[in-house]
Amino acid sequence: THIYTIHTGRIMVRRVFGKLAFFSLQDDTGSIQLYMDAGRLSPESFKQLKDWTDGGDIIGARGSVKRTEKGELSVYVIISLMSDMMVEM
């Protein structure tokens, strides 16, 4: 069974490796890693996450809880939301 969760917070660290991206997200309760895979998000959503986000931005994400190959607890993102100030007009 999958456990789903929703998190919002500030991007503290952003790492993009081709079709994978890892964001460290922090809020007032702590921090968690977002794990994004281009194969799980729509191509446009993944491209927007890579092109329009920077450290310090506030985003929200929904996904299943999982551990990465290195054992870090992460949210395996299926939907992400960016604040209005990051969306091009």
Side-chain angles (χ1 to χ4, degrees), residues 9-66:
R10 186 172 303 278
I11 299 170
M12 302 307 288
V13 178
R14 184 182 170 279
R15 299 178 311 278
V16 178
F17 307 99
K19 295 185 177 193
L20 294 177
F22 300 89
F23 292 1
S24 294
L25 200 66
Q26 185 171 334
D27 65 11
D28 59 347
T29 63
S31 63
I32 192 157
Q33 176 173 267
L34 301 182
Y35 169 55
M36 291 155 283
D37 183 341
R40 187 163 181 171
L41 296 169
S42 72
E44 185 171 327
S45 291
F46 190 76
K47 182 176 178 356
Q48 288 174 349
L49 280 169
K50 289 191 327 181
D51 295 347
W52 294 355
T53 58
D54 292 305
D57 289 345
I58 296 173
I59 65 169
R62 179 178 185 264
S64 56
V65 177
K66 72 171 280 178

